[in-house]
Amino acid sequence: MTKMYVIQGGRIYTEDGVIQNGHLIVKDGRIHQIKHFPYQGPLDVIDASDQHILPGFIDIHIHGGYGHDVMDASVEGFAALSKGLLSEGTTSYLATTMTQSEEAIHTALKAVTTYAEQAKTTPDKPAAEILGVHLEGPFISEHKVGAQNPAFVQRPSVQQVKEFQQSANGMIKIMTYAPEVEGAQETLKALSNEIIFSIGHTVATYEQANEAVDNGAKHVTHLYNAATAFAHREPGVFGAAWTNPFLHTELIVDGIHAHPAAVDVAYRMKGNHAFYLITDAMRAKGLQDGEYDLGGQNVIVKGKEARLASGALAGSILKMNDGLRNLLKYTNASLEDLWRVTSYNQAKALNILSHKGSLTEGKDADIVILNDNIDVLTTIKSGYVVNNIDNK
């Protein structure tokens, strides 16, 4: 159990606006009080003067980082990844799978559940929390595989998804799928109340994408990547994502997966209520340039890019705070507007807004403290403080 302490000063970003030079009290791993005036009393104080106090980031699409990958199916690997994510302000995430063999996917899903259960027994060891699974593939189009392995693409069925969900112990929260392939519509109609269906790795038309929304699809996976582009006579999935108010969109804001102007267009169209900042990161995040593995395929990392030998982009090495810094630059929006795309929207989509996603009294004390350059100074997970983070 964490002690009671105060975060003093700075700018506290809440659902009701920004509190200047107030204070926030953490007690027993939760946000106990938020006040609009300076604290005076006996509790230990974290001085956040001239800093920004936000809810901890929630990454709903991440394959790995810091030398580890979800498809490694390693409990020790999840522990290391989860600890590493705190350095970028991420306090919760969806472990994201790849298009591999059924056996490999089942093994990874079981490892996720094993780690998640074990993590509950060591709350005094701060680490980002696995909220569930994002199943990216294998139910995608072989015509838009991106960095997925085409050898393992398969058609969706209600039975197959239920089998994956059984291995995941009910933890599959989002599933990327191609709505135009055989079996997709039936699977969507049967399971859209249990899983968020996200359109991605698809050659669906504008009409097919909108029909999928009518039948229960809610998200678009990494907008601008691995889907049908906008054209003035065929708006494609991108056009549907922009114009359908019931479609929410992920974006990898690294300046590589989408041009800054394209990111700005997406934000103007979707606003801060239907936009999710994601990393789609792979194991090389936080490591040096070199050759790495992604879903059994060789990836070359150079600078800020990760690519297959074919030249195809292979996920990213983006950190959430770097993505937020880029988003501020690309959109010219304010941090008061943009904090929601890093946490609130994700929590709302995952139906966990009652205890995560914003700085509100009674919610989990999952907090990140940033400087003006959006460098992470301190991450707090369930009240436990991780200081002096090197993330410049």
Side-chain angles (χ1 to χ4, degrees):
M1 186 175 293
T2 59
K3 64 181 180 179
M4 193 170 177
Y5 59 89
V6 179
I7 303 173
Q8 168 88 297
R11 294 165 61 87
I12 304 172
Y13 292 78
T14 76
E15 294 179 44
D16 299 322
V18 181
I19 298 172
Q20 298 263 21
N21 296 315
H23 70 271
L24 182 155
I25 298 178
V26 174
K27 179 183 179 183
D28 298 337
R30 295 185 180 275
I31 298 170
H32 180 61
Q33 288 183 341
I34 300 176
K35 299 296 182 182
H36 289 253
F37 50 83
Y39 174 77
Q40 291 182 324
L43 294 175
D44 289 343
V45 171
I46 295 174
D47 183 6
S49 300
D50 302 320
Q51 296 165 12
H52 305 275
I53 306 159
L54 276 66
F57 303 142
I58 302 174
D59 193 350
I60 61 172
H61 189 151
I62 172 174
H63 298 279
Y66 308 97
H68 305 278
D69 187 281
V70 171
M71 297 307 294
D72 294 342
S74 164
V75 173
E76 295 77 15
F78 282 122
L81 170 61
S82 299
K83 185 177 180 181
L85 289 174
L86 294 179
S87 69
E88 60 193 77
T90 297
T91 53
S92 303
Y93 67 105
L94 293 185
T96 306
T97 59
M98 291 281 291
T99 299
Q100 288 193 15
S101 69
E102 288 182 29
E103 180 184 6
I105 294 171
H106 280 292
T107 301
L109 294 175
K110 291 173 182 176
V112 170
T113 63
T114 299
Y115 169 74
E117 285 301 314
Q118 288 186 9
K120 293 177 183 177
T121 67
T122 56
D124 56 334
K125 295 182 179 179
E129 176 183 354
I130 295 183
L131 299 172
V133 170
H134 182 155
L135 193 78
E136 189 181 15
F139 308 123
I140 60 176
S141 170
E142 60 272 24
H143 304 296
K144 285 285 185 180
V145 291
Q148 307 280 336
N149 192 328
F152 297 114
V153 169
Q154 61 174 275
R155 297 301 180 240
S157 70
V158 175
Q159 181 61 30
Q160 181 64 274
V161 175
K162 284 185 173 180
E163 289 176 5
F164 283 145
Q165 188 66 291
Q166 186 173 5
S167 289
N169 197 25
M171 290 184 70
I172 297 173
K173 306 299 183 183
I174 298 177
M175 188 180 90
T176 293
Y177 87 118
E180 76 279 7
V181 304
E182 182 183 354
Q185 196 168 106
E186 295 79 6
T187 306
L188 170 66
K189 288 179 178 178
L191 298 173
S192 62
N193 288 333
E194 303 171 31
I195 296 171
I196 296 168
F197 280 68
S198 187
I199 299 169
H201 291 276
T202 173
V203 291
T205 63
Y206 175 81
E207 287 75 16
Q208 287 171 323
N210 282 305
E211 182 183 12
V213 177
D214 292 340
N215 289 322
K218 294 182 175 68
H219 286 192
V220 172
T221 297
H222 46 47
L223 182 64
Y224 301 133
N225 297 106
T228 41
F230 173 85
H232 63 291
R233 292 193 180 93
E234 172 43 63
V237 169
F238 299 172
W242 288 335
T243 59
N244 192 314
F246 300 105
L247 265 183
H248 292 198
T249 59
E250 301 177 350
L251 252 89
I252 310 166
V253 188
D254 60 358
I256 298 164
H257 281 78
H259 189 282
V263 173
D264 187 29
V265 168
Y267 184 73
R268 292 185 191 205
M269 297 299 289
K270 305 311 294 184
N272 69 347
H273 64 283
F275 188 115
Y276 308 96
L277 175 64
I278 61 162
T279 66
D280 193 13
M282 48 88 71
R283 77 168 75 246
K285 182 195 348 215
L287 305 180
Q288 296 178 338
D289 289 359
E291 294 190 10
Y292 298 91
D293 168 86
L294 177 67
Q297 300 183 93
N298 199 44
V299 176
I300 300 164
V301 175
K302 186 175 182 180
K304 296 182 179 180
E305 298 186 14
R307 293 183 181 271
L308 299 179
S310 66
L313 283 168
S316 84
I317 52 173
L318 182 67
K319 297 178 180 180
M320 280 290 280
N321 67 302
D322 292 336
L324 177 56
R325 184 189 300 114
N326 291 339
L327 195 56
L328 285 160
K329 180 180 177 181
Y330 299 166
T331 64
N332 207 28
S334 68
L335 191 56
E336 184 173 357
D337 287 331
L338 289 178
W339 72 264
R340 292 173 181 266
V341 311
T342 68
S343 57
Y344 182 89
N345 295 345
Q346 290 85 335
K348 187 175 181 180
L350 297 173
N351 200 28
I352 56 171
L353 200 53
S354 62
H355 57 285
K356 292 190 188 297
S358 66
L359 300 181
T360 303
E361 291 180 357
K363 289 193 179 185
D364 294 347
D366 292 355
I367 302 167
V368 59
I369 301 176
L370 309 169
N371 64 14
D372 286 341
N373 192 45
I374 317 299
D375 299 317
V376 175
L377 304 178
T378 302
T379 300
I380 298 169
K381 174 60 188 166
S382 300
Y384 288 94
V385 179
V386 181
N387 276 317
N388 301 320
I389 293 170
D390 180 17
N391 190 28
K392 299 294 177 69

